[in-house]
Amino acid sequence: MRIGVVTFPGSLDDRDAARAIRLTGAEPVALWHGEHDLHGVDALVLPGGFSYGDYLRCGAIASLSPIMAEVISAANSGMPVLGVCNGFQMLTEAHLLEGGLIRNDHGSFICRDQKLRVESALTDWTGGFAAGQEITIPLKNGEGGFIASADTLERLEGEGRVVVRYVGMNPNGSLNDIAGISNMRGNVVGLMPHPEHAVEPGFGPDTVDAMRSGTDGITFFTSVIERMLVSA
């Protein structure tokens, strides 16, 4: 399986995402924001960072990059797409996901290992989890507060499209403690936490077993590979 990772000016976590993909045995494919070519990949990751310096709004300029026309077309055709942090912001700006992300309610950048509850195991990216499972994934954002209208929130909740939710504390003021959502089809997922930073023992969050041994994030990547293999 070949999974594309799109690099935008200001991307920070593209190489981390590529490493996570490589650890699953899949092939990461580097894609450039200025191209109109997805190079035949089977899935896509929009990584975290500060695309275009976060000018205007986070993800707003990136959502208009040449490659995003191809991303939108592929997503609407059913290709799995994961947007992480800044990538989540791009997906909302591109109207592939509903709602938006605003400045953290406490006004400060936050970086911490965040406990989450998996609310939906029905998406292409979460099939390896069990609904209700609690996981720990690193979080780092300054504009991670998820917002949506009351009607949109009701629809997201009612349609089971809240993918993960903050547990223990709400780090940024997100409505309904929402940390990630999906589209109706379940192939497009946006997450504020960073699963690519919890994929390898010795480099992830602390666990009861050992310091930095948490690898909950790798399941997001193995899930999409398993889903694609079943669909092949």
Side-chain angles (χ1 to χ4, degrees):
M1 293 294 171
R2 304 174 74 244
I3 302 178
V5 180
V6 183
T7 296
F8 300 83
S11 293
L12 297 179
D13 300 302
D14 44 351
R15 293 191 178 187
D16 300 81
R19 179 167 180 78
I21 292 163
R22 194 174 292 113
L23 288 171
T24 68
E27 178 187 354
V29 178
L31 301 175
W32 182 239
H33 75 109
E35 298 181 342
H36 275 286
D37 190 351
L38 297 182
H39 295 280
V41 299
D42 303 295
L44 288 163
V45 176
L46 305 181
F50 302 91
S51 61
Y52 295 91
D54 281 347
Y55 293 116
L56 187 60
R57 292 185 308 276
C58 297
I61 301 175
S63 71
L64 301 175
S65 291
I67 203 167
M68 286 302 292
E70 315 307 321
V71 172
I72 292 168
S73 177
N76 288 334
S77 296
M79 181 181 288
V81 178
L82 176 67
V84 177
C85 197
N86 194 214
F88 186 5
Q89 294 161 343
M90 294 177 207
L91 292 175
T92 61
E93 291 287 345
H95 305 294
L96 286 170
L97 292 176
E98 296 171 83
L101 288 307
I102 63 171
R103 186 75 180 167
N104 296 346
D105 61 350
H106 46 75
S108 300
F109 186 89
I110 188 167
C111 181
R112 69 188 307 272
D113 292 340
Q114 178 66 48
K115 183 177 290 187
L116 307 166
R117 183 171 60 249
V118 177
E119 300 287 8
S120 173
L122 299 177
T123 78
D124 287 355
W125 298 90
T126 56
F129 294 108
Q133 181 177 347
E134 292 192 358
I135 61 176
T136 301
I137 301 291
L139 174 81
K140 50 177 188 177
N141 63 70
E143 298 192 25
F146 180 78
I147 59 168
S149 68
D151 289 345
T152 298
L153 282 173
E154 183 177 3
R155 185 169 63 255
L156 291 172
E157 297 282 6
E159 294 173 351
R161 292 199 283 133
V162 176
V163 176
V164 287
R165 205 182 305 268
Y166 299 116
V167 174
M169 63 94 73
N170 185 323
N172 46 35
S174 291
L175 299 179
N176 291 20
D177 299 327
I178 291 173
I181 62 172
S182 74
N183 66 346
M184 190 65 182
R185 191 169 183 172
N187 62 304
V188 179
V189 169
L191 303 172
M192 282 314 296
H194 287 258
E196 75 279 7
H197 294 328
V199 297
E200 190 173 11
F203 299 94
D206 294 343
T207 72
V208 296
D209 297 320
M211 292 178 62
R212 301 181 180 178
S213 63
T215 58
D216 289 338
I218 196 70
T219 302
F220 287 93
F221 300 97
T222 57
S223 293
V224 75
I225 292 168
E226 292 171 5
R227 181 66 62 90
M228 290 189 294
L229 288 171
V230 169
S231 301

